[in-house]
Amino acid sequence: MDIIKVSARSVPKLVAGAIAAVIREGKPVEVQAVGAGAANQAIKAIAISRVYMTEAAVELICKPAFTTVVIDEVEKTAISMVVEALA
Amino acid sequence: MDIIKVSARSVPKLVAGAIAAVIREGKPVEVQAVGAGAANQAIKAIAISRVYMTEAAVELICKPAFTTVVIDEVEKTAISMVVEALA
């Protein structure tokens, strides 16, 4: 699955565009965020991508879960949100 | 729809229990958060509630959107996440 990594400095509108681009290819996408600031930008991005896709008559849903990522050889807990079109 | 308001000091496991309780009644629930810290706790709570409900063979999905809430007579943008069982 395509993975989009979001940081606290990511721009939600740009991330939303990236999410929508993958969804338009008919694929789900995993959005990953480490830390509160990143998680906040990620959820904002998903909210915006839902607006984008509503315009295309596609309803997006997300499935949040915990995952582990390795950053600079250190394991960190990340929030993983799989975003997909509601069947 | 039932609304659960999450703050930056909310305990995700407790919020997850509250989400699961509403879902078990067969209803969707709206989780609201204002600010990055609150949004982070909310998304963690939803991830945990998904684990709880997986044990009951129910898959939870969430639908993030922006909403406006009034706190101390001031309008604030909140993240609203409707959580429901996947039909």
Side-chain angles (χ1 to χ4, degrees):
Chain A
M1 197 184 305
D2 288 12
I3 295 177
I4 297 176
K5 291 176 192 279
V6 176
S7 82
R9 293 177 302 282
S10 296
V11 179
K13 222 156 51 160
L14 298 182
V15 177
I19 293 169
V22 179
I23 296 290
R24 286 197 186 97
E25 289 171 13
K27 297 185 297 185
V29 57
E30 181 178 344
V31 179
Q32 280 183 359
V34 176
N40 189 43
Q41 298 306 79
I43 200 74
K44 284 197 258 179
I46 295 170
I48 297 167
S49 68
R50 292 190 75 237
V51 176
Y52 289 169
M53 295 310 295
T54 299
E55 291 162 5
V58 172
E59 177 159 31
L60 287 190
I61 58 166
C62 91
K63 300 177 177 177
F66 295 100
T67 191
T68 302
V69 297
V70 177
I71 299 173
D72 296 334
E73 295 178 36
V74 179
E75 282 199 355
K76 304 235 179 194
T77 298
I79 289 287
S80 152
M81 288 176 274
V82 172
V83 180
E84 57 188 55
L86 188 59
Chain B
M1 196 182 308
D2 288 11
I3 295 178
I4 297 175
K5 290 177 192 279
V6 176
S7 82
R9 292 177 303 282
S10 296
V11 179
K13 223 154 50 160
L14 299 181
V15 177
I19 294 169
V22 180
I23 296 290
R24 285 195 188 97
E25 289 171 12
K27 298 186 296 185
V29 57
E30 180 177 345
V31 179
Q32 280 183 359
V34 176
N40 188 44
Q41 298 307 79
I43 199 74
K44 283 197 257 179
I46 296 170
I48 297 167
S49 69
R50 292 189 75 237
V51 176
Y52 290 169
M53 296 309 297
T54 299
E55 291 162 5
V58 172
E59 178 159 31
L60 288 189
I61 58 166
C62 91
K63 299 176 177 177
F66 295 100
T67 190
T68 302
V69 296
V70 177
I71 299 175
D72 296 333
E73 295 176 38
V74 178
E75 283 200 353
K76 304 234 179 193
T77 298
I79 290 286
S80 152
M81 288 176 274
V82 173
V83 180
E84 58 188 53
L86 188 60

